[in-house]
Amino acid sequence: MNERQVSKFEYAPAPESTSIVNIKSEYGLFINGKFIAPKAGKRFVTINPATEEVLSKVAYADLADVNLAVNAARSAFTKTWSKMPPAERGKYLFRIARILQERAREFAVLETLDNGKPIRESRDTDIPLAAAHFFYHAGWADKLSHAGMGANPKPIGVVGQIIPWNFPLLMLAWKIAPALATGNTVVLKPAETTPLTALLFAEVCQQAGLPAGVVNIITGDGVTGSHLVNHPGIDKIAFTGSTGVGKAIARAIADTNKSATLELGGKAANIVFEDAAIDEAVEGIVNGIFFNQGHVCCAGSRLLVQENVQDEVIEKLKRRMSLIRIGNPLDKNTDLGAINSAAQLARIREISDSGDLEGAERWSPECELPKAGFWYPPTIFTGVSQSHRIARDEIFGPVLSVLTFRTPQEAIEKANNTPYGLSAGVWSDKGSRILWTAQRLRAGVIWTNTFNKFDATSPFGGYKESGWGREGGRHGLAGYLKAGN
Amino acid sequence: MIVDGSEGSLKQFLRTLPPVDQVGAEGRAAMLATRSIKTTSKNWAIDLAIRMVDLTTLEGADTPGKVRALCAKAVRPDPSDPTVPSVGAICVYNDMVKIARTELDNNGGQNIPVAAVSTAFPSGRASMEVKIRDTKDALENGAAEIDMVIDRGAFLSGRLGEVFDEIKAIKEVCGERAHLKVILETGELVTLDNVRKASYLAMLAGADFIKTSTGKVAPAATAPVVLVMLEAVRDYYKETGIRIGVKPAGGIRTTKDAMKQLVLVNETAGPEWLTPSLFRIGASALLNDLLMQRMKMRDGYYASPNYVTLD
């Protein structure tokens, strides 16, 4: 057959306008309903990881500021929030949810600027899910006697919340919505590299007329976080982040009365059986590891593919990967955005390079990476064995390790052979096999014939070193309530 | 991928095809529908889409006058702008083939093929003898493309050999004279698994094109259906080295719909399929919307619909 001249369908740039967001040159700390300057006057910059341009300067909270925030939260808890009729609390949550929807585009653009994720994802996933989380928990506020914690459950008190940089606003919603619905007040620290949507959320709290001190947002780094964890005025810590920090928090609160929920790391197995719908499984593999640049604790970072369909799956996967559009995260056609920080990029490089050294075979599609900013190409390693570091350590980047199995039993053994247990995926057209597999996987969330789907009604959390407790659904309320009579 | 055409071999082969997960296919199609096509890429795609249109009239009320008007439109879609390309083909019922052919030949449309819907279109409920005679009639009157329908009843009752034999027989009638487009009528096959199987069945039996629908049954060319058919031609090419064309028909009315189809092609079968010889869009109303959008891209504002000719 004659090879014709093939003209390429180049999508012209389709950037989302940034005019909708108004980023201030500097931000204070949101304490007791107001933005105030940090006591010591220290500030640090937050940058756009896709360009390395400085977006703004945010306040650095040290111990004195943490004291103020915790005191404000305590006062609001005692005087206002815990005494308010539950239906009234619900009204505030409904109001916040509606404002998030009304200002969705503003939040989406700001999230993409500060985090580096594609606008398609912040627009279609992060912000709608954050609003949904507030709507869902607004409904719970006056129905807590049905939460499974007795007829009259009580809030815990003042909750210190520390969230990561991968889904900044969504993780904020996962933390603040259930805490407020159950009558607690919060001091929340967003991640050092992604504070801006949390600060915009503080404005939403003002707009919604939320009583002062119910939500306090302090910006800073790990030291700020440890002040919060160690603060005697805190009743509970809710943390999402790395397993290493999670263990440190568990140690720090070991001889206190504080409770904790921890959402930690993962190294999820995504299991593709021979009878799977291969084209859709390939989509699921791509979505599992390249969604949000692989900065997902529940990412399907270990592909376990049945050996007799390995060639077909890998060939189709490579073809599909070569279609991934990398570049300006504000472009509506971008599929893979920027790595969130120089530090994370270094970590991805370091662990991935170990894959080369240990003998796995690396492959990435031909792609041009932008010069400025932090970027890593979509990458797969084939020929990976269980003992390789890339099969064991969480990379938290767009890097997939491919392993094979011969029998369903072997798939289960390999999938469970990890200190983590956050999520897993099963791809099969056979219902009995899916159920058999799901029953044996030791993971908190198991997706079948899909991946990375989230819903406020569904509890999320891990087994083993992937964490304590659940977030979302009725189960998630338990972390914010004390059983009542 | 060799089958001998016997019922047994076809059944056995089609069983080896991987299943389609409907939720996943719908999700992929929905994701591709979010692609944003602007400025230069939109200009390029609009002209490509015009060249891919099979400008169609398939009504009981069709008259020679109507068909002649359609032919004039096919040659010069926008009489005020000679840079607008001609359409891919004219698609009519058999008895209109000669009228269309003559009209095109006399008015500068010698390069535009006439496609005829044959084999007892749209139901396909006729004897094989009638179907063959129907096809011959179209060819004798100058059809260069035959849009045949498969026997959906035979397919759904598992008589795959019959479906295969019919396509093969019509292909033999077409010979070198005409391109064969095989209409699966996916709205009656219902499941995406059936769409995949019928696509392979048609390709194995000799189809040059696989086409979604007659336009007489809803739903017609939905995005997940076109996605599965594009996957089928992509995978068939990998196995055989032969590129089969795809023609969605029915329900594609706006430029936006057409852009979504082209994105589906680009990111499923690949850019090699972005040519009228491998991708056609069966439509009637679509052409005018493409022309309106083309004017908008050129002039920067929407013209009154009166600047676009009817038929």
Side-chain angles (χ1 to χ4, degrees):
Chain A
M1 183 166 184
N2 293 334
E3 283 304 317
R4 287 181 328 279
Q5 188 75 28
V6 174
S7 45
K8 257 186 104 181
F9 193 3
E10 302 280 8
Y11 305 154
E16 181 71 56
S17 164
T18 57
S19 62
I20 195 167
V21 290
N22 173 25
I23 303 176
K24 298 181 178 71
S25 61
E26 60 176 40
Y27 287 88
L29 303 164
F30 184 68
I31 294 174
N32 212 22
K34 289 190 287 287
F35 283 96
I36 58 166
K39 288 226 157 180
K42 275 172 72 182
R43 284 198 158 78
F44 63 101
V45 299
T46 183
I47 64 166
N48 177 347
T51 60
E52 297 176 63
E53 284 161 2
V54 171
L55 292 170
S56 183
K57 280 162 106 175
V58 298
Y60 181 86
D62 62 18
L63 184 56
D65 303 303
V66 175
N67 281 334
L68 267 185
V70 174
N71 290 341
R74 174 61 60 194
S75 169
F77 175 72
T78 321
K79 292 181 185 151
T80 321
W81 199 245
S82 66
K83 291 188 174 151
M84 188 180 283
E88 290 299 310
R89 288 202 309 265
K91 282 186 192 171
Y92 284 105
L93 290 171
F94 276 123
R95 206 175 292 165
I96 290 170
R98 282 196 297 270
I99 296 170
L100 285 178
Q101 286 188 323
E102 283 159 16
R103 300 177 71 173
R105 205 160 77 84
E106 186 182 355
F107 269 101
V109 170
L110 186 62
E111 196 77 298
T112 286
L113 285 170
D114 204 17
N115 170 280
K117 66 173 66 202
I119 187 76
R120 177 162 64 77
E121 292 179 6
S122 51
R123 179 194 67 199
D124 296 347
T125 306
D126 292 60
I127 312 303
L129 278 175
H133 227 77
F134 277 98
F135 275 117
Y136 174 75
H137 285 95
W140 265 117
D142 60 356
K143 302 171 192 70
L144 295 175
S145 54
H146 302 281
M149 301 288 284
N152 192 18
K154 296 276 183 287
I156 291 176
V158 175
V159 184
Q161 303 183 318
I162 299 170
I163 57 170
W165 46 261
N166 57 343
F167 295 94
L169 186 74
L170 182 57
M171 291 300 105
L172 173 149
W174 281 27
K175 293 282 182 282
I176 291 183
L180 263 48
T182 47
N184 300 276
T185 58
V186 305
V187 178
L188 176 130
K189 188 193 88 65
E192 195 181 347
T193 58
T194 56
L196 294 184
T197 46
L199 294 166
L200 186 59
F201 178 82
E203 286 179 25
V204 170
C205 293
Q206 289 178 324
Q207 197 183 338
L210 190 71
V214 172
V215 169
N216 303 275
I217 292 172
I218 55 169
T219 45
D221 62 5
V223 177
T224 310
S226 71
H227 289 322
L228 191 55
V229 169
N230 294 313
H231 201 289
I234 291 284
D235 298 309
K236 175 208 163 83
I237 288 292
F239 170 76
T240 297
S242 71
T243 293
V245 175
K247 286 179 179 175
I249 289 172
R251 278 191 289 270
I253 63 170
D255 58 355
T256 71
N257 283 330
K258 293 172 194 169
S259 60
T261 47
L262 306 171
E263 298 289 354
L264 309 175
K267 190 75 184 174
N270 203 3
I271 304 169
V272 178
F273 286 105
E274 60 177 348
D275 58 0
I278 300 291
D279 289 296
E280 287 72 38
V282 166
E283 281 307 312
I285 295 164
V286 167
N287 179 39
I289 188 62
F290 301 123
F291 173 63
N292 202 31
Q293 295 71 248
H295 302 329
V296 186
C297 47
C298 53
S301 52
R302 280 189 299 152
L303 174 62
L304 287 172
V305 57
Q306 195 155 354
E307 217 166 298
N308 56 351
V309 288
Q310 182 190 202
D311 291 348
E312 185 183 356
V313 170
I314 298 304
E315 189 255 319
K316 286 196 163 178
L317 177 60
K318 286 180 174 176
R319 193 186 178 287
R320 176 65 181 79
M321 282 172 68
S322 63
L323 293 167
I324 293 174
R325 305 174 65 86
I326 305 156
N328 182 6
L330 283 167
D331 192 311
K332 290 174 223 167
N333 292 327
T334 291
D335 298 322
L336 194 72
I339 302 301
N340 180 252
S341 65
Q344 185 57 27
L345 180 59
R347 182 178 159 79
I348 295 169
R349 284 191 175 136
E350 195 255 324
I351 303 181
S352 302
D353 290 351
S354 79
D356 299 319
L357 294 173
E358 290 182 327
E361 195 184 323
R362 177 198 288 262
W363 186 87
S364 290
E366 271 181 47
C367 56
E368 206 176 314
L369 300 179
K371 298 278 177 289
F374 316 123
W375 302 89
Y376 202 84
T379 302
I380 58 169
F381 280 98
T382 49
V384 179
S385 61
Q386 290 286 97
S387 60
H388 288 167
R389 194 177 161 209
I390 52 170
R392 308 198 61 75
D393 287 8
E394 185 178 36
I395 301 176
F396 223 63
V399 182
L400 176 70
S401 299
V402 183
L403 297 95
T404 59
F405 66 90
R406 294 161 295 179
T407 63
Q409 192 59 45
E410 188 183 358
I412 298 290
E413 283 163 6
K414 284 185 165 171
N416 287 339
N417 180 16
T418 167
Y420 296 115
L422 191 51
S423 66
V426 183
W427 296 84
S428 168
D429 209 35
K430 190 168 174 172
S432 59
R433 178 166 292 152
I434 291 169
L435 294 173
W436 184 92
T437 308
Q439 281 168 349
R440 285 159 181 79
L441 286 170
R442 301 256 300 145
V445 182
I446 297 166
W447 286 291
T448 59
N449 293 330
T450 190
F451 210 94
N452 276 341
K453 286 273 183 286
F454 307 95
D455 193 285
T457 63
S458 172
F460 182 93
Y463 280 51
K464 299 189 278 187
E465 291 186 18
S466 286
W468 297 348
R470 294 291 178 266
E471 290 187 296
R474 187 170 62 81
H475 302 70
L477 298 169
Y480 290 98
L481 288 172
K482 290 187 286 196
N485 43 27
Chain B
M1 203 179 293
I2 302 297
V3 292
D4 59 15
S6 69
E7 189 87 28
S9 75
L10 286 166
K11 276 193 174 146
Q12 206 164 13
F13 172 75
L14 295 183
R15 247 183 240 132
T16 67
L17 295 173
V20 186
D21 184 74
Q22 178 153 350
V23 175
E26 284 169 355
R28 174 63 176 159
M31 185 266 132
L32 287 175
T34 70
R35 291 291 192 222
S36 182
I37 306 302
K38 302 279 183 215
T39 59
T40 49
S41 58
K42 189 169 180 182
N43 282 330
W44 181 85
I46 286 175
D47 277 8
L48 180 62
I50 292 173
R51 290 166 53 220
M52 287 171 164
V53 167
D54 275 9
L55 195 58
T56 304
T57 185
L58 296 171
E59 302 299 331
D62 284 347
T63 57
K66 164 79 181 168
V67 171
R68 285 196 197 101
L70 205 65
C71 290
K73 177 100 173 177
V75 180
R76 278 175 293 277
D78 181 350
S80 68
D81 185 349
T83 65
V84 177
S86 302
V87 302
I90 281 282
C91 184
V92 290
Y93 271 113
N94 276 358
D95 60 335
M96 294 293 164
V97 170
K98 194 169 214 162
I99 294 160
R101 186 67 270 155
T102 313
E103 187 68 20
L104 287 169
D105 288 344
N106 294 341
N107 289 294
Q110 294 89 343
N111 296 326
I112 301 175
V114 177
V117 290
S118 299
T119 67
F121 179 94
S123 69
R125 299 254 65 85
S127 70
M128 198 56 221
E129 215 177 349
V130 169
K131 290 179 184 177
I132 287 175
R133 185 62 223 133
D134 196 24
T135 309
K136 281 185 176 157
D137 178 52
L139 293 172
E140 283 156 14
N141 283 302
E145 302 183 358
I146 296 293
D147 289 27
M148 73 169 285
V149 290
I150 64 164
D151 185 341
R152 284 86 75 189
F155 181 90
L156 291 170
S157 67
R159 288 175 279 128
L160 303 181
E162 255 179 69
V163 181
F164 182 90
D165 290 343
E166 276 198 17
I167 300 169
K168 207 161 166 246
I170 301 296
K171 172 70 181 174
E172 273 161 26
V173 175
C174 291
E176 295 298 308
R177 284 200 286 173
H179 256 58
L180 180 62
K181 306 200 197 96
V182 177
I183 302 171
L184 310 178
E185 196 65 301
T186 54
E188 290 182 348
L189 301 184
V190 180
T191 69
L192 293 176
D193 282 318
N194 278 348
V195 171
R196 177 169 284 174
K197 284 180 180 155
S199 296
Y200 271 88
L201 196 57
M203 292 189 292
L204 289 167
D208 298 305
F209 258 79
I210 48 177
K211 174 174 168 182
T212 58
S213 330
T214 59
K216 307 291 180 195
V217 169
T222 65
V225 160
V226 179
L227 175 81
V228 169
M229 289 169 66
L230 287 163
E231 285 169 355
V233 297
R234 173 197 71 198
D235 294 345
Y236 188 79
Y237 169 72
K238 194 183 162 278
E239 292 293 322
T240 63
I242 300 167
R243 288 202 175 98
I244 307 293
V246 176
K247 177 177 170 185
I252 301 164
R253 291 191 184 91
T254 64
T255 302
K256 206 168 217 174
D257 294 339
M259 297 296 108
K260 287 177 186 173
Q261 293 286 333
L262 295 184
V263 167
L264 272 177
V265 176
N266 191 41
E267 301 200 34
T268 309
E272 294 82 2
W273 266 262
L274 285 172
T275 161
S277 63
L278 286 172
F279 195 75
R280 293 280 185 81
I281 302 170
S284 35
L286 170 66
L287 181 59
N288 271 353
D289 196 60
L290 288 167
L291 295 174
M292 292 273 285
Q293 288 296 330
R294 199 178 186 279
M295 286 183 195
K296 158 76 167 42
M297 299 297 286
R298 186 188 64 198
D299 304 333
Y301 57 86
Y302 281 104
S304 148
N306 290 330
Y307 282 89
V308 181
T309 59
L310 293 171
D311 36 56

